Amino acid sequence: MGTDGAPFRRARRPEHKQQRYEAILAAARSQAERKGVSNVSLADIAAEVGVHKSALLRYFETREEIYLHLTAEGWQDWVDGMRDELARLPVGSVTGVAEVVARTLAARPLLCDLMTHTSLTLERNVSLEAVRNFKLAALAALADAEVLIRRVLPDLTDDDVRDLVGAVSAVAAGLWQATHPPATLVALYAEDPRLEHTRLEFTPSLQHLIEVVLTGLLHPRDGGGAPRPD
Amino acid sequence: MGTDGAPFRRARRPEHKQQRYEAILAAARSQAERKGVSNVSLADIAAEVGVHKSALLRYFETREEIYLHLTAEGWQDWVDGMRDELARLPVGSVTGVAEVVARTLAARPLLCDLMTHTSLTLERNVSLEAVRNFKLAALAALADAEVLIRRVLPDLTDDDVRDLVGAVSAVAAGLWQATHPPATLVALYAEDPRLEHTRLEFTPSLQHLIEVVLTGLLHPRDGGGAPRPD
């Protein structure tokens, strides 16, 4: 275990502990950005920090706890990133909201990757306290987003904004995986014209879906069985 | 390696090979239904078939290929399950389509679980031919669904139905994981009133989202910056 990048072997003073804590989060972030959340082990993170795995366990119980922490940070960072842009939109701008939400999320690929893993793996291998902290942080970010989006689209209810954010995060998670295909799929798309049109692009696909969902939320749903008038 | 459930050790005659092939798929299905796709190994499937792991590799390259095959089957089975019900709906019934799509998908929990894994893991550990077969089978099921849904809602384009199915599968995947929480999360929901309202139910949440998306697809999107008239 080298000390490269780690100016002390065991953090004992509070400011060293804080530095070590930040170094672990930074290493987990950069490893996941480089090779995807799925492919990062606790040992990879420890190696990048320059300490033994056991040193990490003084700060976090599992790799999932580290990534759940980064997910909570990611949600708040995303909402903070939308704040000024949403504040500049004219009231009623469905396209504006869709554009800002899609573009700011596309600029946060790690968050999109983490959205896939949240309920699939991250919430499954941590303590009750770690899940509680995550859920409360995510709810706080959601409450912020509600205020920002309802300022532009005041006809939306809080429930509408929750439905929107739920749909957006699920679709962003799915799109992120689909638009980061493995090498076999890239080769297949290049070779088989029957499949070429099934390729998706992240930002325009997400923006279109957000516009559709916002339009649906803002229109009364008759839903009846009669043909709609022309 | 016991021979329980496997009346021959190595399948040599064509009909025995077919039986072995079906037995592998059935074992993979029942293992995944019992403990979730994430938690099934090739060894688990082999144990349930009653053969050694190496015997499986004569039929499928990887566990991912087995599950990708079941995903393709699952999509076609889902569309087949919607066929008669969609055919009975009156033209224009948004609620009817949403109800049928959500209910038939809720009745197929394995497909919902597989939807999470398709681009995340299954397409990443198989040959080009296996991905091609999967993609073509999924496209055929989608083309069937387009005909069925556009009969009820003729104002939808084929692109609209693809957007719908893309959103539905992403949201169903996310909802399925979120509505099958680990024990820590169940305990947390029971204990912390601040989180109780964040619990989701699969079928009503999915049906609501489908109605919203269909409504959005069926209404012109003005998207402008001006306030909408009251």
Side-chain angles (χ1 to χ4, degrees):
Chain A
M1 296 303 115
T3 52
D4 316 39
F8 41 85
R9 282 189 79 86
R10 178 158 177 187
R12 294 180 192 277
R13 292 163 58 187
E15 66 269 33
H16 288 175
K17 284 192 177 158
Q18 185 61 30
Q19 281 173 33
R20 177 65 50 94
Y21 182 83
E22 299 294 341
I24 295 167
L25 292 173
R29 210 180 280 120
S30 85
Q31 289 279 327
E33 280 168 352
R34 217 172 319 138
K35 51 192 193 182
V37 173
S38 292
N39 302 313
V40 183
S41 68
L42 203 58
D44 294 331
I45 300 170
E48 179 153 337
V49 177
V51 298
H52 191 265
K53 237 167 72 171
S54 59
L56 260 56
L57 301 175
R58 292 190 201 105
Y59 297 83
F60 296 97
E61 298 156 30
T62 56
R63 70 177 277 288
E64 285 77 14
E65 194 190 339
I66 300 176
Y67 283 114
L68 202 54
H69 187 96
L70 289 176
T71 310
E73 272 191 13
W75 275 85
Q76 192 59 56
D77 170 66
W78 177 36
V79 174
D80 290 342
M82 291 194 285
R83 193 176 311 275
D84 289 351
E85 302 212 45
L86 288 173
R88 277 195 290 270
L89 290 177
V91 170
S93 180
V94 166
T95 307
V97 170
E99 196 275 325
V100 169
V101 172
R103 179 167 41 76
T104 52
L105 196 47
R108 289 167 174 79
L110 177 57
L111 179 59
C112 297
D113 193 7
L114 288 166
M115 281 170 169
T116 295
H117 293 279
T118 308
S119 57
L120 181 65
T121 55
L122 305 184
E123 290 179 350
R124 284 171 203 272
N125 197 11
V126 295
S127 67
L128 191 137
E129 278 318 302
V131 183
R132 190 202 312 273
N133 291 339
F134 167 69
K135 290 273 179 198
L136 292 175
L139 280 180
L142 186 60
D144 269 13
E146 278 164 19
V147 173
L148 295 171
I149 291 173
R150 291 190 59 203
R151 209 269 316 156
V152 188
L153 300 171
D155 291 350
L156 294 180
T157 65
D158 280 348
D159 277 352
D160 288 340
V161 177
R162 272 175 219 184
D163 289 343
L164 171 72
V165 173
V168 167
S169 62
V171 170
L175 273 174
W176 197 87
Q177 300 301 332
T179 54
H180 291 76
T184 43
L185 210 45
V186 173
L188 185 60
Y189 285 140
E191 177 228 284
D192 195 323
R194 293 169 297 178
L195 297 174
E196 225 248 314
H197 73 282
T198 65
R199 278 185 97 141
L200 293 166
E201 280 189 79
F202 185 89
T203 313
S205 302
L206 186 62
Q207 180 171 338
H208 174 65
L209 184 275
I210 297 168
E211 279 184 47
V212 168
V213 170
L214 283 173
T215 303
L217 289 169
L218 289 167
H219 280 83
R221 285 177 288 286
D222 41 48
R228 287 172 314 118
D230 285 347
Chain B
M1 295 305 112
T3 51
D4 317 39
F8 39 85
R9 284 190 77 88
R10 177 157 179 186
R12 293 178 193 278
R13 291 163 59 187
E15 65 270 32
H16 288 174
K17 284 193 176 158
Q18 185 61 30
Q19 280 173 35
R20 176 65 50 93
Y21 183 82
E22 299 295 340
I24 294 167
L25 291 173
R29 210 181 280 119
S30 86
Q31 288 279 328
E33 280 168 353
R34 216 170 323 134
K35 48 190 193 182
V37 174
S38 293
N39 302 313
V40 183
S41 68
L42 204 58
D44 293 331
I45 300 170
E48 180 152 338
V49 177
V51 298
H52 191 265
K53 237 168 70 171
S54 59
L56 261 56
L57 300 176
R58 292 190 202 104
Y59 297 82
F60 295 97
E61 299 156 28
T62 56
R63 71 179 277 288
E64 285 76 15
E65 193 188 341
I66 300 176
Y67 283 113
L68 203 55
H69 187 96
L70 289 177
T71 310
E73 271 191 14
W75 275 86
Q76 192 59 57
D77 169 67
W78 176 37
V79 174
D80 290 342
M82 291 193 287
R83 193 176 311 276
D84 289 352
E85 302 212 45
L86 288 174
R88 277 195 293 270
L89 290 178
V91 170
S93 180
V94 167
T95 306
V97 171
E99 195 275 327
V100 169
V101 172
R103 179 167 41 75
T104 52
L105 196 46
R108 290 165 172 81
L110 177 57
L111 178 59
C112 298
D113 194 7
L114 288 166
M115 282 171 170
T116 294
H117 293 279
T118 308
S119 56
L120 181 65
T121 54
L122 304 184
E123 290 180 351
R124 285 172 202 273
N125 197 12
V126 295
S127 68
L128 192 137
E129 277 319 301
V131 183
R132 189 201 312 275
N133 291 339
F134 166 70
K135 290 275 176 196
L136 292 175
L139 280 179
L142 186 60
D144 270 13
E146 277 165 18
V147 173
L148 296 170
I149 291 173
R150 292 190 58 202
R151 208 270 315 153
V152 188
L153 300 171
D155 291 349
L156 294 180
T157 65
D158 280 349
D159 278 350
D160 287 340
V161 178
R162 272 176 218 181
D163 289 342
L164 172 73
V165 173
V168 167
S169 61
V171 170
L175 272 173
W176 196 87
Q177 300 301 334
T179 54
H180 292 75
T184 43
L185 211 44
V186 174
L188 186 59
Y189 285 139
E191 179 229 285
D192 195 322
R194 293 169 297 178
L195 298 173
E196 225 245 315
H197 72 282
T198 64
R199 278 183 98 142
L200 293 165
E201 279 190 81
F202 185 89
T203 313
S205 301
L206 187 61
Q207 180 171 338
H208 175 65
L209 185 273
I210 298 168
E211 280 185 48
V212 168
V213 170
L214 284 173
T215 304
L217 288 169
L218 288 167
H219 280 84
R221 285 177 287 286
D222 40 47
R228 289 172 313 118
D230 284 347

